[in-house]
Amino acid sequence: MQSNFFRSLTAVALATITASSAFSVPFSVLQDTVYTASRNDSDSSVPFMNTLPSDAAAADYSSGDTVFIMCYDTIYSFGAYGGTDCWGWRGPDGTEYAIMGVYGGVAFVNTATRQVITTVPGPQGGCGTIAWRTMGTYQHYCYAVSECYGTNEGVMVMDLQYLPDSVHFIGSFPISFLGDPTSHNLFVDTLKGYLYTEGDFSANYSIHILSLANPASPTYVSSFGPYNGVHDMFVMNDTAYVAEGYNPYFSVYDMSNKFAPILLKRFNIPGSGFVHNIWPTEDREYVATTEENANKTVKVWDVRDLNNIQLVGQYLAPSRLAHNARVKGDTIFISHYESGVAIVDISTPSAPVELGVYDTWINETPNFNGCWGVFPFTSNGLVYGSNMDGRLFVLTHQKAILADTMRIVSSAGAAGSQVRVDVEAVNSLPIRRFVIPINWSGPFNMTLASVSTAGLRTAYFEEQTFTGYDPANKRIAYSLTSSASGTSPDLPPGSGPILSLYFNIPAGATGGPNSVLITPYNDKQPTFDQKCLRYLPDTLSGTVSLGSLCCVGIRGNVDGDPADEINVADVVSLVSYLFQSGPFPPCGEEANVDGSAAGAVTVADLTYLVAYLFNGSVAPLSCL
C-alpha cells in the first residue's frame, strides 16, 4: 500500500511539474535573418528525414535566429513507382486524411493515427509505370481520374463517410457524353457543386463539366475550351482559371452559364514553356502559374485588371523544374520534382521569399523524379507531398524565433561536503537531444562525483551518457536523448533543470568561488536538437562558492532549488532517493525535514513534507 501511494504521489508531482512548465516565445521579440532549417539525407538507403549536421556544424543556427522549420511527421511507401498527385479530406470529427494516387489505385491515410486505411483499385492499362491519377473531394465523396484504362476507368467515386473504418467504392462514370474513360486532370468547384475534367484536343471540347447535384452519380453537363487542349484548371464559384498546356496561354472564364461559358481573358505568356498549372490567391487578385520545362520559373501574375495583366514575381528551386503550385493564404506550396516541396511567401507578390524546401529526392537536376503533388489545405497545418517513387510525405512547418538558453545555476557548499549544481534549459521548441559540455576550475580542487536527472524534466530520457569524459582536466560532455527510435516524446517547451552535477569539495578547501562553464569540448558544443533542427542556445556560466548555504530558512528544499522553493519537486526528489535508487539530495540538512537528531533521511521526512504541502500541517523546522 505504501509503495503504491508513493508511486501515485510521484505521478501527480511529475504531472504538476509538466503542467506548470508552459512556455511561449512571442514572434515579435526579435527581428533577424530568416534561415531555412530543412535538410535532407544523401544516403539513398534510408528515407529522407532531414538528417541533422554534426555537432560541430550546429552553429548554422543559434539563439536569436528566426527560422522556418520543415520537418517530416510520417513517410509512407506505396511501392517503388507510380506515385502521382495527392489531396486531402477532413472528416466531421476533424480528422485529416491524406489521399494519394499510387500505381494500384487511390490510397487513403489517417494522419491522426498514422494508419493506411486502404487503397481503392484504379485503372493501370496503357500507362506503363505512371498512372497519372488526380483527385478531388466534395462533401463526403472523393473523385479520381486517370489516363489509364482498365479497372474502374472513368471518374471514380468513393464514399468517405465510413472513415476511419473504410472507404466505399461506389462506381466509375463516363467523363463525357461520348463515354470517354480517361482524363489527365480534374477540379471540383465545391461552392457550386460541379466537377471539371480535362478533355481532348478538339475545339470547344477541352474541358468537360459534370454536375454533382447527386454527388454519388456525376452526370455530364457540357464541354468547352480552346483548341489544342488544356492541361489543368482551377474553378471556384463559377470562375475558371485554365492552364492551356501546349498553348502558350492561361485563360479566365465566367462559368455562370455552363452551356455558354464566357471567355473573360486569354493571356499569352511571353516565352512560355508548357503551361502546366494555375492557381489563384484567395482574393483572386494574383495567380501563380507553372511551366513544366527546365529553367521555367513559377510565376506570380497581377490579375486585378484582366486587361492589364502583369508579371510581378518569379521563383525557382535548385532542381530548376517545377511541377504544380497551390496557393494557401499568402503562401505558394510547390511540388518541385527533384527539389521536393518548396514553400514560398508571396505576402509581397513582387518579392517572393523562399521559406523552406523539404527535399524528397537525392538529386537536384531538371528531370522528372521526386515530388509530383502537394496539398497544404489542412486544418492542422500538415502538408502532404507525393513522390513519383511511391512515397507520401506528411510534413509539418513552422516559423519560430530561437530564444533559448542553457545555464549553470550557481551553488554553494561547505568544505568536505558534496554540492549539487544544476544545468538549466529554457527551450522554445520541443527538444529531442541535449549536448552539455562542462568545464570547471578554481582555487579549490573540486572533483566530479556523479551526474543525475532524477526528479528533473529529462528524467524519462532513454539515453543518458557521457560523450566526453576527462575529469583529470576538469571537463566532460554529456548527452541526453529522449528516444533514438522516436517512441518517447520530446521535451515540451519550458524551463527548468535538465541535468544535475554532483561535485565533491575537498576537506580544508579555501578561496574564492570555482567557475562552472558551458564551453565546447573537442567537437561537442552546447546544442539543442529539435526533430529536424540543431542549434546553439545562449549559455550562462555559474559558480560554486564555499559557505554554509546548504540550508537556508526552513528545511524542505530537498532538490536544491536555487530559489529555495518547497514544492512537489522536493517530494519527487525524496521519493527518487528513498524508493528508486536516486542520488542523495544535494543538502542533507534540507532533506532532514523533520529535524531528527540523527540527521538521517528517512520515510519520516517524506511523510512530514507531504503533510506540510498537502494537509496544511506544521512547517518544517528551521535550518541550524
Side-chain angles (χ1 to χ4, degrees):
M1 289 295 293
Q2 191 178 55
S3 60
N4 287 335
F5 165 76
F6 287 118
R7 278 197 293 269
S8 300
L9 184 60
T10 303
V12 171
L14 289 172
T16 305
I17 294 169
T18 302
S20 65
S21 62
F23 182 82
S24 62
V25 179
F27 285 167
S28 60
V29 170
L30 299 171
Q31 296 294 326
D32 201 350
T33 304
V34 175
Y35 294 90
T36 301
S38 60
R39 301 182 181 277
N40 71 286
D41 195 322
S42 59
D43 181 356
S44 61
S45 66
V46 298
F48 295 83
M49 293 186 176
N50 287 14
T51 299
L52 294 166
S54 67
D55 291 345
D60 286 352
Y61 314 106
S62 59
S63 187
D65 289 340
T66 301
V67 295
F68 186 88
I69 306 166
M70 292 185 67
C71 192
Y72 76 94
D73 177 87
T74 321
I75 303 173
Y76 304 87
S77 181
F78 295 98
Y81 53 83
T84 52
D85 207 357
C86 61
W87 199 251
W89 183 73
R90 184 186 183 193
D93 63 354
T95 300
E96 296 282 357
Y97 297 89
I99 308 169
M100 179 175 169
V102 300
Y103 183 72
V106 182
F108 293 83
V109 172
N110 184 330
T111 64
T113 62
R114 297 176 173 82
Q115 293 178 320
V116 177
I117 304 296
T118 190
T119 297
V120 178
Q124 302 172 19
C127 289
T129 59
I130 303 177
W132 282 291
R133 303 190 200 283
T134 301
M135 292 73 62
T137 55
Y138 180 65
Q139 297 179 6
H140 56 81
Y141 296 92
C142 176
Y143 306 91
V145 295
S146 173
E147 289 190 14
C148 304
Y149 297 90
T151 303
N152 298 332
E153 65 185 21
V155 179
M156 296 174 61
V157 181
M158 292 151 281
D159 191 344
L160 310 183
Q161 68 175 312
Y162 304 100
L163 287 171
D165 296 325
S166 60
V167 175
H168 290 198
F169 176 68
I170 293 177
S172 290
F173 298 83
I175 288 168
S176 76
F177 71 96
L178 294 176
D180 299 327
T182 67
S183 177
H184 185 72
N185 269 317
L186 66 73
F187 196 89
V188 179
D189 183 347
T190 56
L191 292 180
K192 295 297 183 176
Y194 287 91
L195 172 67
Y196 293 76
T197 67
E198 176 262 351
D200 66 14
F201 290 88
S202 305
N204 302 318
Y205 204 62
S206 302
I207 302 174
H208 305 304
I209 310 171
L210 288 79
S211 171
L212 299 179
N214 177 359
S217 180
T219 55
Y220 175 78
V221 176
S222 66
S223 301
F224 75 102
Y227 177 76
N228 204 29
V230 301
H231 184 266
D232 203 357
M233 73 292 294
F234 175 102
V235 191
M236 189 59 66
N237 200 19
D238 279 342
T239 300
Y241 300 83
V242 177
E244 294 194 16
Y246 291 110
N247 298 326
Y249 298 94
F250 70 78
S251 48
V252 184
Y253 289 83
D254 180 345
M255 299 303 303
S256 300
N257 185 343
K258 304 299 182 293
F259 295 97
I262 299 172
L263 177 63
L264 301 176
K265 185 65 179 180
R266 194 172 187 223
F267 181 77
N268 190 320
I269 299 176
S272 75
F274 181 79
V275 185
H276 188 266
N277 99 296
I278 183 169
W279 206 283
T281 56
E282 293 172 4
D283 59 13
R284 308 294 190 266
E285 294 187 352
Y286 298 87
V287 297
T289 62
T290 62
E291 301 158 49
E292 197 183 24
N293 295 98
N295 301 311
K296 293 298 182 180
T297 56
V298 179
K299 295 177 173 63
V300 181
W301 305 89
D302 184 339
V303 294
R304 288 176 290 183
D305 181 354
L306 291 178
N307 294 315
N308 186 31
I309 294 175
Q310 298 290 323
L311 176 64
V312 294
Q314 301 182 73
Y315 168 81
L316 199 62
S319 69
R320 310 191 314 281
L321 181 61
H323 191 219
N324 287 319
R326 288 167 174 166
V327 182
K328 180 180 181 181
D330 55 9
T331 307
I332 307 177
F333 295 79
I334 306 165
S335 50
H336 210 294
Y337 279 122
E338 291 193 1
S339 286
V341 176
I343 302 181
V344 179
D345 180 3
I346 56 167
S347 54
T348 302
S350 60
V353 175
E354 178 186 284
L355 295 176
V357 178
Y358 187 95
D359 202 341
T360 64
W361 189 254
I362 194 169
N363 297 321
E364 287 288 353
T365 62
N367 290 308
F368 299 106
N369 301 302
C371 190
W372 176 294
V374 64
F375 182 85
F377 307 106
T378 60
S379 61
N380 56 11
L382 294 177
V383 176
Y384 312 145
S386 51
N387 252 33
M388 296 178 69
D389 61 11
R391 285 185 294 169
L392 172 67
F393 295 79
V394 178
L395 307 175
T396 63
H397 63 97
Q398 71 177 112
K399 182 180 180 181
I401 294 175
L402 305 177
D404 296 1
T405 303
M406 183 185 292
R407 76 181 185 101
I408 300 295
V409 180
S410 295
S411 187
S417 69
Q418 190 175 97
V419 63
R420 169 179 164 176
V421 177
D422 281 340
V423 181
E424 186 176 73
V426 176
N427 57 297
S428 56
L429 297 171
I431 300 299
R432 172 164 295 182
R433 177 174 177 254
F434 295 98
V435 176
I436 309 168
I438 301 292
N439 175 266
W440 63 96
S441 62
F444 49 91
N445 189 27
M446 188 170 68
T447 59
L448 181 69
S450 63
V451 300
S452 175
T453 60
L456 306 184
R457 303 168 67 209
T458 51
Y460 71 93
F461 273 36
E462 293 180 1
E463 294 187 4
Q464 305 186 22
T465 183
F466 285 98
T467 55
Y469 188 71
D470 184 13
N473 291 302
K474 297 180 172 59
R475 57 181 183 172
I476 63 167
Y478 203 77
S479 175
L480 299 169
T481 306
S482 61
S483 172
S485 62
T487 54
S488 292
D490 297 341
L491 185 69
S495 62
I498 57 172
L499 183 68
S500 296
L501 310 169
Y502 291 86
F503 291 101
N504 291 323
I505 301 176
T510 60
N514 276 15
S515 297
V516 183
L517 311 174
I518 301 173
T519 58
Y521 173 23
N522 294 341
D523 65 336
K524 303 297 186 290
Q525 298 193 67
T527 53
F528 289 5
D529 285 8
Q530 190 259 1
K531 186 175 184 180
C532 292
L533 173 69
R534 174 169 294 164
Y535 59 98
L536 301 179
D538 289 331
T539 58
L540 296 171
S541 299
T543 61
V544 174
S545 302
L546 292 173
S548 56
L549 299 179
C550 173
C551 191
V552 177
I554 62 173
R555 304 165 192 259
N557 181 21
V558 180
D559 65 348
D561 179 1
D564 198 35
E565 294 182 353
I566 302 175
N567 51 37
V568 291
D570 300 298
V571 175
V572 172
S573 184
L574 267 180
V575 169
S576 174
Y577 167 66
L578 292 170
F579 300 102
Q580 299 171 354
S581 301
F584 185 78
C587 177
E589 190 176 354
E590 288 277 9
N592 181 22
V593 183
D594 64 356
S596 62
V601 179
T602 65
V603 173
D605 297 300
L606 180 60
T607 303
Y608 197 114
L609 184 59
V610 168
Y612 166 62
L613 287 173
F614 301 103
N615 297 330
S617 297
V618 65
L621 298 178
S622 298
C623 298
L624 298 177

